[in-house]
Amino acid sequence: MCWDGVRKQPNKTRVSCFTTSQFLVFKNGLLETNKQRIKSTSCFRHAPSVRMETLVVQTPSRQYPIYFGTGILENKEYFEQHIPGDKVLVVTNDVVGPLYLQRLKHTLESSNKLVFSLEVPNGEIHKNLTTLSQIYDKCMEARLDRKSTLVALGGGVIGDLTGFAAATFVRGVPFIQIPTTLLAVVDSAVGGKTGVNHPKGKNMIGAFYQPQAVVVDINTLHTLDDRQLAAGLAEVIKYGLIRDVAFLEWCEANIERLMKRDPEALRYAMYQSCKNKSDVVSADERESGIRAILNLGHTFGHAIEAGTGFSTWLHGEAVAAGMVMASEMSYRMGWLTKEDVGRVESILSRASLPIRPPPTMTLEKFMTFMSIDKKVESGKLKLVLLRGIGNAIVTGDFPMDVLQETILYFQKLVLSHPEQYEVPLASQSL
């Protein structure tokens, strides 16, 4: 058995789940996990063969492919047709880089490309203008020009940073996404959203800029730890909740296969998720309308991320709790039944995801961070809510007291079940 590819990231966070046998609990606003790592039965280099598939994303600004397969990180054919010049800068982080950077560089160099690389620190806390400037510095140092290509090798943070650098360096250079987390595959690598965080809000600085291609080597998911895998499943489940009930039912029937990293289950989940996102993005590239439904749970979730300093909650974890909050609010609007809310909680819990916001997120904190969300228009907050499972809407037509009552409902759960929220923290830190 081979373990050299496992990404070691301490599991220190989780949230209380009142309806499952698996507890996700809080201490001082942090999350803690009690689930053991699922150990792959084989090294990622010898993963079971999964058929190659291509999905084409069509937007007004660009048409581009998403390639799904195993071992394609080492196949130059999937890269060279999307690299117009002779210089490439690969941006990665200090977790993914040691695993895959040399392999990718060898592939690109076999196409006679001059390859530069930059490793930046891992984590959402580094998705900022300081790290972005490091990418610009490397571009200048390597004397990149408008035919040079940037390649994002990593998760959502790396993809967002590299994409924004590509959109703005010499007013735009080509870039390729190579997502290495499930969340990046099914969400951030597709659709052209790029950007960085501001201390007062997530993704407040950025641009819409589509990649030349998205290359998904399923082998890279074998080195994810359980927490990152679960974070990606939050976005997978989201597509079922907002527009694809049949896919949600498939997720409910196959969540254990996904948690066990069954290659065919993962392939299907990734493909269907990307197809759902592609369909929405093709209809609304710049989020002027229907694309906003992809943000179910995100306004609550972004507030959680910002309120906890972008350092303790993974994006998918915050979105999971946010989707429960959006479901609860939809129930209070009369659009969901209590059974519907329980259904949302159940599948997220089975995926080892949080279904409660941290107790440190007070009403005041939520309202402060939500008031500067990107979906605020002319001073009016818009939310993505559910008018039934599989039917998401974007609306600003809700009583503010319903929003506040929803937030306070979760605050009351802290008071009524404090023992389920708080346990001693593990000594490890993120």
Side-chain angles (χ1 to χ4, degrees):
M1 193 170 290
C2 175
W3 296 105
D4 63 322
V6 172
R7 298 182 206 171
K8 303 181 190 291
Q9 181 169 352
N11 289 334
K12 114 174 174 179
T13 73
R14 286 257 172 111
V15 188
S16 78
C17 296
F18 296 100
T19 59
T20 73
S21 60
Q22 191 174 141
F23 260 115
L24 313 175
V25 288
F26 287 105
K27 182 65 176 178
N28 298 328
L30 303 181
L31 292 160
E32 179 179 321
T33 180
N34 58 9
K35 191 176 189 297
Q36 297 298 311
R37 180 188 303 278
I38 298 173
K39 294 179 172 60
S40 175
T41 56
S42 64
C43 175
F44 68 88
R45 295 191 186 96
H46 307 291
S49 177
V50 177
R51 64 182 179 273
M52 176 69 196
E53 290 187 276
T54 302
L55 177 67
V56 177
V57 181
Q58 299 188 26
T59 69
S61 65
R62 181 174 294 131
Q63 174 180 298
Y64 57 93
I66 308 173
Y67 301 118
F68 300 88
T70 56
I72 59 177
L73 201 63
E74 299 170 1
N75 191 327
K76 67 180 182 180
E77 294 179 5
Y78 295 105
F79 297 97
E80 55 188 7
Q81 61 183 309
H82 303 293
I83 301 176
D86 59 355
K87 290 183 179 180
V88 178
L89 171 62
V90 180
V91 181
T92 187
N93 63 40
D94 51 14
V95 174
V96 175
L99 299 176
Y100 303 112
L101 178 57
Q102 290 307 313
R103 203 177 310 180
L104 176 61
K105 288 180 72 173
H106 177 76
T107 301
L108 298 175
E109 287 168 350
S110 70
S111 295
N112 297 316
K113 305 300 180 183
L114 182 58
V115 183
F116 303 89
S117 63
L118 173 67
E119 286 189 11
V120 300
N122 180 47
E124 185 80 26
I125 196 171
H126 299 291
K127 185 177 150 182
N128 53 37
L129 291 171
T130 299
T131 307
L132 182 67
S133 290
Q134 294 177 26
I135 301 176
Y136 292 143
D137 290 345
K138 191 67 178 181
C139 290
M140 296 293 289
E141 177 187 318
R143 298 184 181 276
L144 301 189
D145 56 38
R146 284 180 174 169
K147 287 191 175 180
S148 301
T149 300
L150 269 58
V151 176
L153 175 65
V157 170
I158 291 297
D160 285 3
L161 278 164
T162 307
F164 190 37
T168 50
F169 182 70
V170 294
R171 296 189 174 92
V173 298
F175 88 107
I176 295 172
Q177 291 268 20
I178 307 178
T180 60
T181 66
L182 180 59
L183 189 145
V185 171
V186 303
D187 183 46
S188 59
V190 180
K193 281 188 176 181
T194 71
V196 297
N197 299 330
H198 186 277
K200 292 185 178 180
K202 184 177 171 71
N203 294 333
M204 295 301 290
I205 306 166
F208 289 96
Y209 194 68
Q210 304 292 344
Q212 300 294 314
V214 180
V215 180
V216 180
D217 191 329
I218 297 171
N219 285 347
T220 62
L221 300 185
H222 289 251
T223 58
L224 278 180
D225 66 16
D226 292 340
R227 187 180 166 204
Q228 288 280 1
L229 182 73
L233 289 176
E235 295 283 0
V236 171
I237 293 165
K238 176 193 74 179
Y239 292 108
L241 294 174
I242 64 173
R243 70 189 305 266
D244 192 343
V245 175
F247 183 49
L248 177 64
E249 291 171 351
W250 181 89
C251 289
E252 290 171 323
N254 290 276
I255 194 69
E256 282 74 26
R257 289 178 65 200
L258 292 169
M259 297 294 287
K260 292 177 181 177
R261 303 160 193 261
D262 179 282
E264 280 298 321
L266 281 173
R267 181 205 60 78
Y268 180 78
M270 289 189 293
Y271 187 90
Q272 288 300 120
S273 296
C274 288
K275 187 177 187 311
N276 269 290
K277 182 159 189 180
S278 173
D279 289 347
V280 173
V281 170
S282 296
D284 179 19
E285 181 180 11
R286 301 181 67 85
E287 202 170 284
S288 58
I290 191 175
R291 181 171 178 167
I293 68 170
L294 297 171
N295 293 313
L296 177 68
H298 283 58
T299 303
F300 292 106
H302 287 171
I304 291 171
E305 290 182 87
T308 54
F310 300 110
S311 61
T312 56
W313 282 63
L314 296 178
H315 175 67
E317 293 168 337
V319 167
M323 288 193 293
V324 173
M325 297 184 75
S327 300
E328 176 66 29
M329 184 169 171
S330 299
Y331 161 70
R332 291 168 181 269
M333 292 290 291
W335 299 337
L336 291 184
T337 66
K338 202 61 178 172
E339 289 73 22
D340 290 331
V341 178
R343 184 180 181 185
V344 175
E345 292 182 344
S346 176
I347 189 169
L348 293 171
S349 298
R350 290 171 61 202
S352 296
L353 284 162
I355 61 170
R356 302 287 182 261
T360 53
M361 287 299 296
T362 61
L363 174 62
E364 181 181 8
K365 269 192 176 183
F366 265 114
M367 297 306 294
T368 296
F369 287 109
M370 292 172 77
S371 69
I372 53 174
D373 186 82
K374 297 185 297 302
K375 289 176 287 301
V376 173
E377 295 181 2
S378 301
K380 188 175 183 64
L381 174 64
K382 290 188 174 182
L383 293 174
V384 183
L385 300 175
L386 296 174
R387 277 191 177 270
I389 298 296
N391 183 21
I393 63 166
V394 183
T395 181
D397 187 19
F398 55 83
M400 189 57 63
D401 60 349
V402 174
L403 171 60
Q404 294 178 350
E405 287 171 5
T406 300
I407 297 170
L408 289 172
Y409 165 75
F410 291 96
Q411 293 281 290
K412 291 173 182 175
L413 289 179
V414 178
L415 298 176
S416 60
H417 297 87
E419 72 286 350
Q420 292 178 316
Y421 266 86
E422 305 223 340
V423 297
L425 264 178
S427 59
Q428 295 172 309
S429 60
L430 272 174

